[in-house]
Amino acid sequence: MAANDGDEAVLSLVDVLEEDEALEDEACAVLGGSDPEKCSYPEGYVKRQALYACNTCTPKGSEPAGICLACSYKCHEGHDLFELYTKRNFRCDCGNSKFNGFECKLFPDKDKVNVSNKYNQNFFGLYCTCKRPYPDPEDEVSDEMIQCVVCEDWFHGRHLGAISAECTELQEMTCVSCMNKCPFLWYYAAHMAGRLVSEGFYFGDFFRKSESLRSVFCPQVTTNGDSNCKRKLSVNDDAGCNSNSCKLQKMKEGGLSPKSSAVYWPQSWRSNLCTCHNCKKFYADLEVPFLVDESDTVLAYENKGKIIQENNQENRDPLLAALSSMDRFQQLEMIHEYNDLKAELKDFLKRFADEGKVTVVFVFKMVKV
């Protein structure tokens, strides 16, 4: 329960603990898919991993560089780091030629440059079309940041030119710049992007109602609603229901979505991209073959992290990321005490909840130690 006492927001201890647990789960999902002890460099260009940029070692004006989770702990403790969330197909740069003699403590034998790494303004702590830091001390507008699934830059919702409908089915976003670099996506957007949800249609309902869209994804559906096709929407194959058809070619007959804003996609959108031979080659030429890779999504990465955490109880608690200024002994002591306290508080407060009693209300303030 939350209440207002004057100008201060008041939360019950139960609220604080529940919020803390939700944040801990999110951190486990993001960090759990990356190894906190070993530099990821020997793994090559990792499909997706948590990355950081060190503003201390590679400030603005120098060459951009990214470091893995383990190096952020072991090599750059106490440095000014930018948290980049996750990036795809990246190899750890820590200690290479971009670091001017700084040597990686975990894996110093690195090539001078990782030629296949891709960088953007995020590596210097800048985001969005406004090219501002996040959080921005000069920005008084409360706004969430959303990551583009193609370029992996982060954008303020208000700067995307599109309003996302409040719908849990909307999972990913493509910024307008990337939409124009991959113009074939405008055809898919015309049929199944988030704007349809904002107009009162859910993707599944629209598919059932739209004759043109049914003919693209399942050409054997008849006009009276009967069908001999057993293919499900979530299944993707090289030929679709008709081995001679290409979904994209059929979509081109239906016209383009207005090319004016970012596009929000429903959860199933990637599985409905055409995977015929020509389209796969097209994706490769545009350097977006990952769009038809089911394991590429951030959601898949987070699920992997959760599974790792569940199956390996000895994994380091992600709370250590927030305690990076402490040495290892202090970190372990703090986490041990914190976990004991949290467990005892939950057991204590549960008794009151079971009896329907109101618990004591506290005011919390976060302080920097």
Side-chain angles (χ1 to χ4, degrees), residues 44-65:
Y45 292 89
V46 180
K47 180 176 288 188
R48 186 175 290 280
Q49 63 176 314
L51 284 182
Y52 297 80
C54 184
N55 191 40
T56 302
C57 297
T58 55
K60 188 176 181 180
S62 60
E63 291 188 79

Side-chain angles (χ1 to χ4, degrees), residues 67 71 75-76 92-105 107-108 110-112:
I67 60 176
C71 287
C75 306
H76 299 266
C92 181
D93 285 321
C94 181
N96 67 14
S97 62
K98 297 183 176 184
F99 286 77
N100 298 318
F102 179 89
E103 188 173 271
C104 176
K105 299 176 182 178
F107 197 91
K110 289 184 170 74
D111 291 339
K112 291 184 177 181

Side-chain angles (χ1 to χ4, degrees), residues 46-341:
V46 180
K47 180 176 288 188
R48 186 175 290 280
Q49 63 176 314
L51 284 182
Y52 297 80
C54 184
N55 191 40
T56 302
C57 297
T58 55
K60 188 176 181 180
S62 60
E63 291 188 79
I67 60 176
C68 68
L69 177 64
C71 287
S72 74
Y73 291 150
K74 309 291 185 178
C75 306
H76 299 266
E77 182 179 356
H79 290 192
D80 181 17
L81 299 178
F82 298 127
E83 184 176 1
L84 305 179
Y85 198 60
T86 67
K87 300 289 185 184
R88 64 168 66 91
N89 301 324
F90 198 93
R91 196 172 197 182
C92 181
D93 285 321
C94 181
N96 67 14
S97 62
K98 297 183 176 184
F99 286 77
N100 298 318
F102 179 89
E103 188 173 271
C104 176
K105 299 176 182 178
L106 298 177
F107 197 91
D109 187 19
K110 289 184 170 74
D111 291 339
K112 291 184 177 181
V113 178
N114 294 314
V115 294
S116 295
N117 279 356
K118 292 185 177 181
Y119 307 90
N120 60 19
Q121 61 179 350
N122 298 169
F123 288 81
F124 295 118
L126 302 177
Y127 308 88
C128 190
T129 55
C130 61
K131 302 184 183 300
R132 296 291 301 170
Y134 184 84
D136 186 349
E138 299 180 10
D139 187 1
E140 298 180 355
V141 179
S142 178
D143 197 358
E144 291 185 350
M145 299 288 281
I146 306 168
Q147 188 180 37
C148 173
V149 70
V150 177
C151 67
E152 298 185 292
D153 197 355
W154 290 82
F155 297 84
H156 294 100
R158 67 185 187 274
H159 293 159
L160 288 172
I163 299 175
S164 173
E166 294 296 329
C167 174
T168 57
E169 288 189 6
L170 299 181
Q171 296 292 323
E172 295 184 317
M173 180 275 296
T174 305
C175 70
V176 66
S177 177
C178 288
M179 289 292 294
N180 289 330
K181 290 177 182 177
C182 305
F184 73 94
L185 288 176
W186 289 115
Y187 293 101
Y188 285 98
H191 291 289
M192 60 180 178
R195 66 182 185 87
L196 298 176
V197 179
S198 66
E199 292 168 4
F201 293 95
Y202 284 91
F203 176 61
D205 293 335
F206 182 74
F207 183 91
R208 287 188 289 272
K209 294 174 184 177
S210 171
E211 185 66 34
S212 62
L213 191 54
R214 284 201 305 271
S215 67
V216 171
F217 287 97
C218 197
Q220 295 180 28
V221 175
T222 61
T223 55
N224 62 7
D226 295 329
S227 173
N228 294 322
C229 177
K230 305 299 183 183
R231 183 169 178 265
K232 295 181 179 179
L233 281 178
S234 60
V235 177
N236 202 4
D237 52 45
D238 287 343
C241 293
N242 186 334
S243 60
N244 296 319
S245 68
C246 171
K247 296 175 186 177
L248 182 58
Q249 287 299 323
K250 289 183 176 292
M251 282 191 169
K252 288 181 178 180
E253 300 172 5
L256 286 168
S257 176
K259 301 180 180 181
S260 58
S261 66
V263 172
Y264 294 91
W265 302 100
Q267 186 173 6
S268 60
W269 81 283
R270 291 206 199 194
S271 63
N272 287 303
L273 295 177
C274 184
T275 55
C276 71
H277 175 75
N278 288 338
C279 281
K280 282 186 174 180
K281 185 179 183 302
F282 191 41
Y283 303 152
D285 292 341
L286 291 173
E287 299 183 333
V288 291
F290 53 81
L291 289 179
V292 289
D293 180 356
E294 293 181 0
S295 65
D296 171 79
T297 65
V298 172
L299 181 60
Y301 172 86
E302 291 180 351
N303 288 336
K304 174 186 174 183
K306 290 177 182 177
I307 292 172
I308 292 174
Q309 290 291 334
E310 291 172 357
N311 293 339
N312 185 3
Q313 296 300 321
E314 294 181 356
N315 273 7
R316 191 168 84 166
D317 192 307
L319 183 61
L320 289 179
L323 303 175
S324 59
S325 60
M326 299 181 181
D327 62 35
R328 178 166 292 276
F329 178 79
Q330 291 173 319
Q331 288 177 341
L332 293 176
E333 282 285 304
M334 177 66 74
I335 289 176
H336 176 74
E337 297 297 332
Y338 170 82
N339 286 335
D340 285 348
L341 175 62

Side-chain angles (χ1 to χ4, degrees), residues 14-35:
V14 174
D15 292 327
V16 174
L17 292 175
E18 288 179 348
E19 181 178 355
D20 175 79
E21 188 167 2
L23 291 173
E24 187 173 333
D25 288 343
E26 183 178 349
C28 283
V30 175
L31 303 182
S34 300
D35 193 326

Side-chain angles (χ1 to χ4, degrees), residues 348-359:
F348 175 74
L349 292 171
K350 187 176 184 301
R351 289 184 294 160
F352 290 92
D354 291 341
E355 296 173 5
K357 295 181 179 179
V358 178
T359 57

